[in-house]
Amino acid sequence: MKHRWIAGLAGVLLAAGAQAQGELFLYNWSNYIPPDLLSKFEEETGIKVNLDVYDSNETMLAKLQAGAAGYDVVVPSGYMVKIMIDEGLAERIDAGQMENFENVRAPHDAPGYDPERAYSAPYMWGTTGVTYDSARLDEPLPESWEPFFKPPEALQGQIAALNDQVELYNAAAYYVGVSKCTEDPDEAAQILELLEAQKPHLAMYQSDGTIDRMVAGEVIMHHQWNGASHRTKKQLPTAVYIYPEEGITVWGDNFVVPKGAPNLDNAKTFIDWMMAPENIAVASNFTGYMNAIAGSEEFLNEELKNDPAVNMPEEYTERLRPLEDCSAEARELRDRVWTRLKS
């Protein structure tokens, strides 16, 4: 769902009109912010929001690295925030000093990738696991990555993986039992071997449309973010979200202003506005993810609070694996694995 689609936005933003007063150019994950919330922001601030979308952190980074100008706010995951800061692609906004920052809960107020919140503010957080339709299988699946990577016959050709280098590589690392930030070529080879063996059994690599694909019965199992799993279950009650015992990534997405944003003040206004409990709760109710803002719970839908895919059972805490800022050597290995896999 898009609030507004601006075709060829990168080129359009180079025009003089892109720097007009009262505009904001938001570059976000697809289907990741409710249109009515953006309308509310427009009505309350008079700032017109234009939305462009991407399907992975790497897609967004590549566009900025290539010199795309005109975006005011982007929404990277934690590890990508660090990369943007290190590469000089993030504008210092001192989010920690904004009026509504007092609502931010720990540990989201001082993450390792931006401990002073000088360059970023929190948006949604969640996990990345696997969802399957229990009605289409004879018995429940184990709480493991095994049926995803080494599927039984009933699942072969009926699984979709996220087209996300980091998420898929991390999941494979958990299952193989090596660090997702490994610098050892032999360990990276183990990950590649697993992913190449899995590939023939996949229906596709696709990050968009995961909810519709599951609901329509196009696949039985989907590698999915937990919020998408929650929204799947709303339409497909037999959907089950797995917290694999080998480990599951816990992540946080953030608002960041790209260096040289044409509407810097509007970007700061938007980010501060989104940290108000009543506003961020609208986003949580739409996305199916939890947020980092104290006081938002009174505005959350009951079904969101009661879904274990979103409100994780305490016994799974030890399975959580935070995203890490891997070394350049580790990232290069991961890139090589991904290139080989997708070639």
Side-chain angles (χ1 to χ4, degrees):
M1 297 180 185
K2 304 176 181 70
H3 182 59
R4 286 188 178 86
W5 177 262
I6 305 297
L9 183 61
V12 172
L13 294 185
L14 294 176
Q19 298 191 34
Q21 293 297 317
E23 286 190 293
L24 178 79
F25 290 89
L26 173 63
Y27 194 26
N28 194 6
W29 299 80
S30 62
N31 203 28
Y32 200 35
I33 195 164
D36 56 343
L37 183 61
L38 296 181
S39 296
K40 181 174 185 277
F41 174 75
E42 290 183 331
E43 292 168 3
E44 293 185 6
T45 66
I47 298 171
K48 176 185 175 183
V49 181
N50 303 281
L51 176 65
D52 193 8
V53 299
Y54 54 85
D55 62 359
S56 74
N57 281 291
E58 286 65 37
T59 297
M60 180 273 295
L61 178 65
K63 199 164 187 179
L64 295 182
Q65 289 173 328
Y71 295 120
D72 297 307
V73 178
V74 296
V75 192
S77 300
Y79 77 96
M80 186 56 67
V81 173
K82 183 65 164 56
I83 292 172
M84 290 181 65
I85 293 171
D86 290 346
E87 294 193 8
L89 295 172
E91 190 78 52
R92 186 181 181 100
I93 56 172
D94 293 317
Q97 298 177 27
M98 292 180 179
E99 181 178 356
N100 284 322
F101 189 81
E102 64 182 12
N103 300 317
V104 178
R105 289 191 180 99
H108 306 281
D109 59 336
Y113 50 83
D114 186 17
E116 296 181 2
R117 281 295 189 185
Y119 296 90
S120 65
Y123 182 42
M124 300 284 110
W125 69 272
T127 57
T128 311
V130 177
T131 303
Y132 72 95
D133 184 358
S134 61
R136 299 178 63 186
L137 297 174
D138 292 335
E139 57 186 23
L141 293 177
E143 293 180 345
S144 169
W145 286 110
E146 182 158 348
F148 177 64
F149 286 118
K150 298 182 177 180
E153 185 175 353
L155 282 175
Q156 292 178 10
Q158 294 291 324
I159 300 173
L162 291 173
N163 189 31
D164 189 301
Q165 175 189 138
V166 175
E167 294 289 12
L168 192 56
Y169 187 91
N170 287 355
Y174 301 146
Y175 183 69
V176 171
V178 302
S179 168
K180 57 177 173 277
C181 287
T182 182
E183 297 178 5
D184 185 340
D186 291 336
E187 291 183 345
Q190 293 179 51
I191 294 173
L192 176 60
E193 182 180 2
L194 178 68
L195 294 175
E196 287 185 326
Q198 177 201 37
K199 188 175 181 179
H201 302 307
L202 294 179
M204 66 189 74
Y205 298 98
Q206 184 59 261
S207 298
D208 293 333
T210 69
I211 300 165
D212 293 340
R213 194 168 297 114
M214 283 292 294
V215 172
E218 295 178 25
V219 294
I220 298 174
M221 172 183 281
H222 215 308
H223 189 204
Q224 242 184 356
W225 293 288
N226 66 316
S229 183
H230 169 74
R231 292 161 70 184
T232 297
K233 190 175 181 65
K234 289 172 68 175
Q235 300 179 64
L236 184 68
T238 51
V240 176
Y241 185 70
I242 295 176
Y243 289 90
E245 62 185 359
E246 299 89 354
I248 183 171
T249 296
V250 57
W251 49 263
D253 287 337
N254 305 265
F255 293 121
V256 172
V257 177
K259 196 74 172 179
N263 301 293
L264 178 58
D265 289 342
N266 291 347
K268 291 180 178 180
T269 296
F270 175 77
I271 291 170
D272 188 47
W273 188 87
M274 286 296 299
M275 288 190 286
E278 63 273 21
N279 295 330
I280 198 68
V282 176
S284 281
N285 289 333
F286 174 82
T287 64
Y289 298 107
M290 291 303 289
N291 63 74
I293 304 302
S296 65
E297 55 274 3
E298 65 178 288
F299 303 101
L300 295 178
N301 295 334
E302 287 300 316
E303 63 182 11
L304 189 71
K305 290 188 281 189
N306 295 331
D307 186 352
V310 181
N311 191 12
M312 185 191 72
E314 187 174 351
E315 61 264 30
Y316 295 146
T317 301
E318 293 185 357
R319 300 182 183 185
L320 297 180
R321 304 289 185 270
L323 283 172
E324 298 178 31
D325 177 31
C326 300
S327 68
E329 291 81 3
R331 294 199 301 269
E332 182 180 354
L333 272 180
R334 186 178 66 205
D335 288 344
R336 287 162 55 189
V337 167
W338 186 252
T339 299
R340 174 73 176 271
L341 178 68
K342 299 300 290 291
S343 62

